[in-house]
Amino acid sequence: MTTSAHLRTVLADALTEDGTLTDPAWRDAAEAVPRELFLGSYFAQVPGSAPTRYLPVHQGEDGWLEAIYTDRTLITQLDGRARPGDVTNGSLTGDPTSSSTLPSLVLRMWQQLEVEAGHRVLEVGTGTGYSTALGAHRLGDDRLTSVEYDPVVGRAAAAALKAAGYAPRLIVGDGLRGDPDAGAGAGTYDRLIATCSVRYVPMAWLHQVKPGGKILVTLSGWSYASGLALLTVTGPGTATGRLLPGFTSFMIARPHDRPPRTTLALLPGEERPSRIDPAVIGTWTGGWVAQLAAPAAERMGAGAEQILWDVSTGSQVRTTLGPDGGWTVLQRGPVRLWDRVETAIRLWQAAGEPHQEGFGITVSAARQRVWIGAEDGPGWDLPV
Ligand SMILES: C[S@@+](CC[C@H](N)C(=O)[O-])C[C@H]1O[C@@H](n2cnc3c(N)ncnc32)[C@H](O)[C@@H]1O
């Protein structure tokens, strides 16, 4: 057995033992696809660096193969430009814009999609092509189409897939529009899986997936909170679903990313006591609720000292510890962001502070609403 095949088996064993890999057909795919073909080079984070610095690691270097068979996301592009192969000297900083997602998450999502032999599947976010190869192995090349936004990333994925012996249909374009050749009408796909996140569910997906078909996508936003949703299409342009357990996050689809902003300047505003502990919006689900309540806001800060800055109106929030215990909030601008966040957090707390899996989503052409518990429970409209 080659080293690579051995490392694949070891990883597949570990993912079986921890309960991630439950379907033998997906275990078979995990054992068959050599992840190193998709990761000739990648960026490793420089430990302790702030802001994070990335150092390229190339094929054949010490630890290159071993890292590929740990259950880790490996970054392959920064700022929509820099690829590890382009870096000739030293390390660099930047925002990750493409990667090979950690194998446990990719395999868990393929299983959660409830995909069956014969299904036609659309994947959005080809990235390195590793997840695409797993899908092509399991379903057959002719059943899978994958869309990648970035032409350079798309070309590299096409070459890697070819080298691995897979030939799914590949598209370079905006996957938020789905498959440009799908046409209008009854729906072409049985399943859609996205490995980038979205602020709302693109309408094209709801027409290209057949009624009864499923969409698996991470909902996220400009405060970087997220939840993985599994929706069932109920008719052309409509869907409903639940959020799933776990802690899933993905880089946001490029057209849904926050617009560039100026350097943050904190300005005076109206001050009052806060009715909630601001630290709650720094937690996994508290941050999700705050983002639902203030979807155009970016969140910064930590603990009791939180900052929200609404990208569309410039409205600001600053929270601090109060002088005599409690917390103080300062608000400025046309949108009283903290009023909204407080109300939302208190509704969530009254519902027992469920994790994202206690939420659901209902989508139509008119609105997209995320709710707690049941469709008639407390909810918030996504910024469609
Ligand atoms: C986390 S990576 C994908 C991981 C990949 N599935 C893998 O296993 O290697 C996300 C990818 O989504 C792509 N992306 C972002 N916005 C997109 C869009 N609107 N349409 C298609 N792809 C998009 C990014 O360029 C990036 O390559």
Side-chain angles (χ1 to χ4, degrees), residues 38-49:
F38 301 85
L39 286 161
S41 46
Y42 53 81
F43 286 114
Q45 298 183 10
V46 177
S49 55

Side-chain angles (χ1 to χ4, degrees), residues 85-242:
D86 308 333
V87 182
T88 47
N89 204 359
S91 60
L92 69 171
T93 56
D95 290 327
T97 44
S98 194
S99 65
S100 169
T101 305
L102 65 162
S104 61
L105 177 54
V106 171
L107 288 157
R108 178 155 54 82
M109 284 177 62
W110 273 122
Q111 293 173 114
Q112 285 169 326
L113 190 64
E114 297 167 15
V115 61
E116 289 161 23
H119 275 165
R120 289 197 68 190
V121 179
L122 181 64
E123 179 191 45
V124 176
T126 316
T128 62
Y130 174 65
S131 56
T132 318
L134 293 169
H137 185 87
R138 167 77 177 85
L139 299 165
D141 290 331
D142 60 334
R143 302 275 96 191
L144 181 61
T145 298
S146 185
V147 194
E148 169 57 48
Y149 191 84
D150 185 305
V152 176
V153 172
R155 273 199 296 278
L161 282 158
K162 191 170 178 207
Y166 299 106
R169 182 165 158 254
L170 299 176
I171 299 171
V172 168
D174 181 3
L176 303 185
R177 294 164 185 243
D179 173 353
D181 299 328
T188 307
Y189 289 98
D190 300 286
R191 297 286 184 269
L192 187 148
I193 185 169
T195 59
C196 53
S197 61
V198 292
R199 293 180 80 211
Y200 57 86
V201 185
M203 214 14 88
W205 297 1
L206 299 158
H207 288 276
Q208 293 179 11
V209 175
K210 297 172 188 169
K214 291 184 197 284
I215 296 173
L216 183 63
V217 61
T218 303
L219 301 171
S220 73
W222 295 344
S223 282
Y224 312 109
S226 54
L228 180 63
L230 182 62
L231 296 108
T232 302
V233 175
T234 45
T238 61
T240 181
R242 308 275 324 181

Side-chain angles (χ1 to χ4, degrees), residues 14-90:
L15 297 180
T16 305
E17 266 161 43
D18 73 10
T20 303
L21 264 174
T22 50
D23 180 338
W26 286 108
R27 180 183 165 118
D28 188 48
E31 288 215 61
V33 176
R35 195 179 180 215
E36 68 274 21
L37 293 182
F38 301 85
L39 286 161
S41 46
Y42 53 81
F43 286 114
Q45 298 183 10
V46 177
S49 55
T52 308
R53 298 198 69 82
Y54 295 93
L55 195 63
V57 180
H58 301 292
Q59 181 162 7
E61 289 178 4
D62 266 2
W64 166 77
L65 187 63
E66 288 71 17
I68 287 171
Y69 286 105
T70 56
D71 189 27
R72 268 193 280 163
T73 292
L74 295 170
I75 309 289
T76 48
Q77 190 195 50
L78 297 169
D79 293 336
R81 308 187 291 280
R83 312 244 312 143
D86 308 333
V87 182
T88 47
N89 204 359

